[in-house]
Amino acid sequence: MALRRRTTKMPPRVPINRGLVPSSITSLPATYSLNQWTPQIGLAMAKPSQTTIRSIKSTNTPRPDRFAHHPSRSALNSTSSAALERKAHSTPTRTGLVAQKRGMTAVFDPDTGMRSGCTVLQIDRNEVVAHKTREKNGYWAVQIGAGEKQVDNVSRPMLGHFAAAGVAPKRWVFEFKVKGKEGLGVNVGERLGASWFQVGQWVDVRGVSRGMGFEGGMKRHGFGGQPASHGQSLMHRGMGSAGGSQGSGSRVLPGKRMAGNMGNERVTVKNLKVLQVDEANGIVVVNGSVPGPKNQILQIQDAISKPWPKGPMTTAETISASEALASAAVANTVAGTTATTATL
């Protein structure tokens, strides 16, 4: 005879509603609130438990976001006019010139006798090709062409561009941004020479650095290399560890300095002092070194981290300054000849 197992039905489990407002609270008048706790209400219902929110407490005070609006600051403006206004303090007031690096030499200061290295730059037929205006292009700039190029090697669109400006085909064309309309004082088709810069002023020189191909970490970044003691084998110039383990996520962090292509990138050398200016030969001598090998094309413009020089803004001012220097040189020559004659 089979035995029958006695089964007992368990009563249904009442769900626990954690964090929900009890039904007794919903039946209270609208004038009551949870903050108005009184013994009379406490007798009728139980105070709800506090809901805990898990979070990480930071010990660092968050830095204010410079893009967020604050009542003490003026409202942000994302228009193009506002962007040009924010950059006005670091935009030169006049155009720069295109030059070629001819090599390095040294000059002696006649007052102190100090010898300093310098670079010779040559200004080769710089002419204004076009103007970029705020209304048409969205910014102010002067387009400068330099050098000479055969007509057969110039594309037809560029031939039309040069013909509209009334200049010969140029080998190099660069743009120099200016602060405002006053920087467009040089007219299209006019030629600028070395007298555009003055002796003693500060300039920034931009160009492409000399390419050195694929180089190791020691030459590219100045690493010290591995020890050259006993037991070290074939790792004297090695860079060492490239990435950590669990601490850095078992990966190589972005931006790790490693072996790779060195040079051949755009470089700006700031605050170079103009030592000599030769208008007849188009020579500008600056103190220090500039990027690139010999015959490298460079851009020279007024230094942005120095006060703007009181240089010429138009070609007429350049011609008048050159005439003044020439007349002063003639006067000095005549005075020297007179003094020599009087001595004889």
Side-chain angles (χ1 to χ4, degrees):
M1 181 178 179
L3 298 176
R4 305 180 71 183
R5 179 178 297 177
R6 177 181 294 180
T7 58
T8 312
K9 292 185 177 182
M10 299 293 294
R13 181 176 297 179
V14 180
I16 301 175
N17 298 328
R18 294 186 177 90
L20 299 180
V21 181
S23 59
S24 58
I25 298 180
T26 59
S27 61
L28 292 175
T31 56
Y32 285 94
S33 64
L34 296 179
N35 295 329
Q36 297 175 352
W37 180 261
T38 58
Q40 292 78 12
I41 301 177
L43 296 176
M45 65 176 187
K47 186 177 181 180
S49 60
Q50 182 181 1
T51 304
T52 304
I53 301 176
R54 292 186 176 183
S55 63
I56 300 176
K57 183 177 180 181
S58 176
T59 58
N60 299 326
T61 304
R63 294 178 297 179
D65 188 3
R66 62 189 182 96
F67 297 103
H69 175 67
H70 193 271
S72 62
R73 302 177 183 177
S74 58
L76 293 178
N77 196 348
S78 60
T79 61
S80 58
S81 301
L84 291 178
E85 186 177 354
R86 287 193 293 267
K87 298 178 182 179
H89 71 282
S90 61
T91 305
T93 57
R94 60 178 192 156
T95 180
L97 296 182
V98 182
Q100 274 187 291
K101 178 180 178 180
R102 291 306 184 186
M104 294 194 66
T105 182
V107 296
F108 289 88
D109 190 349
D111 298 330
T112 61
M114 296 294 294
R115 180 181 183 272
S116 59
C118 59
T119 307
V120 179
L121 307 176
Q122 186 176 15
I123 310 297
D124 184 17
R125 288 164 284 189
N126 279 225
E127 294 181 353
V128 182
V129 178
H131 286 167
K132 297 299 180 72
T133 60
R134 176 73 177 86
E135 294 77 13
K136 185 177 180 180
N137 307 102
Y139 60 97
W140 303 96
V142 179
Q143 193 177 83
I144 300 293
E148 184 181 6
K149 197 173 184 179
Q150 294 293 333
V151 179
D152 299 338
N153 297 332
V154 182
S155 62
R156 297 178 68 180
M158 290 304 298
L159 282 177
H161 186 61
F162 292 132
V167 299
K170 298 297 180 181
R171 185 174 181 84
W172 305 285
V173 178
F174 290 93
E175 282 189 6
F176 295 89
K177 287 189 176 182
V178 293
K179 184 176 181 179
K181 188 176 181 179
E182 63 278 2
L184 306 181
V186 287
N187 299 324
V188 176
E190 293 182 345
R191 177 172 293 189
L192 301 175
S195 59
W196 187 253
F197 300 104
Q198 299 176 349
V199 176
Q201 79 163 97
W202 303 89
V203 294
D204 292 343
V205 180
R206 298 187 297 271
V208 179
S209 63
R210 181 171 60 92
M212 285 167 278
F214 193 93
E215 299 294 345
M218 293 184 65
K219 182 175 179 180
R220 190 183 183 194
H221 303 292
F223 291 165
Q226 303 300 322
S229 60
H230 295 284
Q232 184 65 269
S233 176
L234 303 180
M235 279 299 293
H236 303 292
R237 297 183 62 87
M239 59 172 285
S241 175
S245 182
Q246 185 177 1
S248 61
S250 300
R251 63 195 178 104
V252 178
L253 296 177
K256 171 63 179 175
R257 296 182 298 172
M258 306 175 72
N261 187 36
M262 182 178 180
N264 194 26
E265 57 186 1
R266 185 180 176 88
V267 178
T268 301
V269 181
K270 298 182 179 180
N271 303 334
L272 298 180
K273 190 175 183 180
V274 177
L275 301 179
Q276 296 179 9
V277 174
D278 186 357
E279 173 64 21
N281 298 318
I283 299 297
V284 176
V285 181
V286 296
N287 185 27
S289 60
V290 299
K294 292 183 180 180
N295 300 325
Q296 175 68 33
I297 194 68
L298 302 169
Q299 297 173 252
I300 315 174
Q301 201 166 12
D302 299 336
I304 63 175
S305 59
K306 298 287 184 178
W308 302 124
K310 296 180 180 179
M313 298 292 292
T314 61
T315 54
E317 297 178 8
T318 305
I319 294 173
S320 61
S322 301
E323 291 178 352
L325 292 175
S327 60
V330 171
N332 292 335
T333 304
V334 172
T337 304
T338 306
T340 303
T341 304
T343 303
L344 296 175

